[in-house]
Amino acid sequence: MTASQDKQMLAKAETLIEALPYFQRYAGRSFVVKYGGHAMGDPEAARDFAEDIVLLKAVGINPVVVHGGGPQIGAMLKKLGVESKFVDGLRVTDKVTAEVAEMVLSGAINKELVGWISQAGGKALGISGKDGGLVTATKVKRTTKDPDSNIEQAIDLGFVGEPEIVDITILDTASKAGMIPIVAPIAAGADGHTYNINADTMAGAIAAALGAARLFLLTDVPGVLDKQGELMTDLTPADIGRLREDGTITGGMIPKLETCIQAVEAGCEAAVILDGRVGHAMLLEFFTSRGAGTLVRAG
């Protein structure tokens, strides 16, 4: 072995030693990972993600993956000639759109992820919120202000739901059997209808119900950035409130952080927003002292 090879092996050993306390602390705990965005369309990123999930399972952690699929749903609707209607930037999900969403999410995307996990050496179980009564949904209620009268008006988004009840029995059963649950954000309501649920919201509700050690929201940005563009690594709900007020946090980051706050205040130990485009970002965040994203925990 050359001196260079010897240094490389030593560096690998030091990485494992650095990770050891985290392995010991979180063995037997649950991690909930929301997977989506551009990383879903990149085979190399998907392969890295699957390897990370299988590694978590191998070291005694119980990962649960919740995936999105908005772009894929949009592409399928276009292919089928189904026109999408939007209100305040939100897609109205009529019955046909709901059926297409279930087909894409619970079918094509879910089973593709199961395949990636299998190729990485893991055993995955593809399910949706319908299976085993995992999630019971309720219809989302939204309002908008009339631009002329400034009066609040209710808007109907169709079959768009949010988790009302989460029963983790099927997740516990799968995890104890050595399997990794891959969850599509589709659920039935008490009214018998099928609802499409935002994947971040679904992941947050499941993380809270599991009392998960971590909720990871993989996105297309490094995390929460300050006004100088620098990554903020640790936030509390109070910090987030101040950052919203001064305009530091805007746009699509707001609902993601709201999901993080709801999860940590309902029983999840901490939530992390990080860049899913970075190879093995989840492992860098959790198993090293350097971190790779923005961590949110209750103050």
Side-chain angles (χ1 to χ4, degrees):
M1 184 177 293
T2 65
S4 175
Q5 290 173 326
D6 189 51
K7 288 182 179 178
Q8 290 176 356
M9 294 300 292
L10 181 59
K12 290 179 180 179
E14 288 175 345
T15 298
L16 289 172
I17 291 169
E18 184 179 358
L20 180 59
Y22 303 99
F23 293 157
Q24 293 172 323
R25 179 179 177 185
Y26 294 102
R29 299 290 303 279
S30 295
F31 283 9
V32 177
V33 184
K34 185 269 179 168
Y35 181 61
H38 295 305
M40 290 185 70
D42 182 347
E44 185 175 347
R47 191 176 298 109
D48 286 348
F49 173 76
E51 289 172 349
D52 290 357
I53 295 297
V54 172
L55 175 60
L56 291 175
K57 188 68 177 178
V59 299
I61 292 167
N62 294 317
V64 175
V65 177
V66 179
H67 64 81
Q72 291 89 337
I73 294 171
M76 181 58 72
L77 289 169
K78 185 176 180 180
K79 185 176 181 179
L80 295 173
V82 178
E83 187 175 346
S84 296
K85 179 183 176 183
F86 292 85
V87 177
D88 286 353
L90 300 171
R91 189 196 305 272
V92 176
T93 303
D94 58 17
K95 189 169 180 59
V96 173
T97 302
E99 290 172 350
V100 172
E102 182 169 18
M103 175 181 68
V104 173
L105 292 168
S106 298
I109 296 176
N110 190 271
K111 302 316 172 191
E112 182 180 4
L113 284 175
V114 168
W116 282 114
I117 297 291
S118 178
Q119 286 184 39
K123 293 182 179 180
L125 176 67
I127 60 175
S128 76
K130 286 183 172 182
D131 295 293
L134 172 58
V135 173
T136 302
T138 185
K139 184 180 174 71
V140 162
K141 296 178 180 179
R142 292 285 188 272
T143 61
T144 186
K145 281 189 177 181
D146 182 274
D148 297 322
S149 66
N150 208 36
I151 296 174
E152 289 279 348
Q153 297 178 333
I155 58 175
D156 187 355
L157 295 175
F159 297 101
V160 177
E162 56 190 4
E164 182 177 33
I165 302 170
V166 179
D167 182 343
I168 62 173
T169 303
I170 191 171
L171 301 180
D172 284 342
T173 301
S175 294
K176 288 174 183 176
M179 291 182 282
I180 300 166
I182 311 294
V183 184
I186 295 289
D191 56 10
H193 293 304
T194 295
Y195 290 95
N196 185 17
I197 299 174
N198 175 275
D200 286 349
T201 303
M202 185 88 150
I206 289 174
L210 285 167
R214 286 291 185 276
L215 164 65
F216 292 99
L217 298 182
L218 302 187
T219 70
D220 300 328
V221 295
V224 181
L225 307 179
D226 64 19
K227 289 186 176 180
Q228 287 71 49
E230 297 296 323
L231 179 68
M232 290 183 281
T233 57
D234 294 277
L235 294 175
T236 66
D239 294 331
I240 292 167
R242 288 192 293 271
L243 292 168
R244 285 188 63 175
E245 288 179 5
D246 70 15
T248 301
I249 298 171
T250 59
M253 187 58 70
I254 292 175
K256 289 185 182 298
L257 286 169
E258 287 176 345
T259 294
C260 291
I261 291 171
Q262 290 167 4
V264 299
E265 290 183 343
C268 179
E269 188 173 298
V272 185
I273 296 175
L274 72 166
D275 195 339
R277 301 168 301 178
V278 176
H280 306 295
M282 189 164 50
L283 299 187
L284 292 172
E285 164 61 30
F286 193 74
F287 293 126
T288 71
S289 58
R290 295 179 294 278
T294 300
L295 183 141
V296 178
R297 68 171 79 245

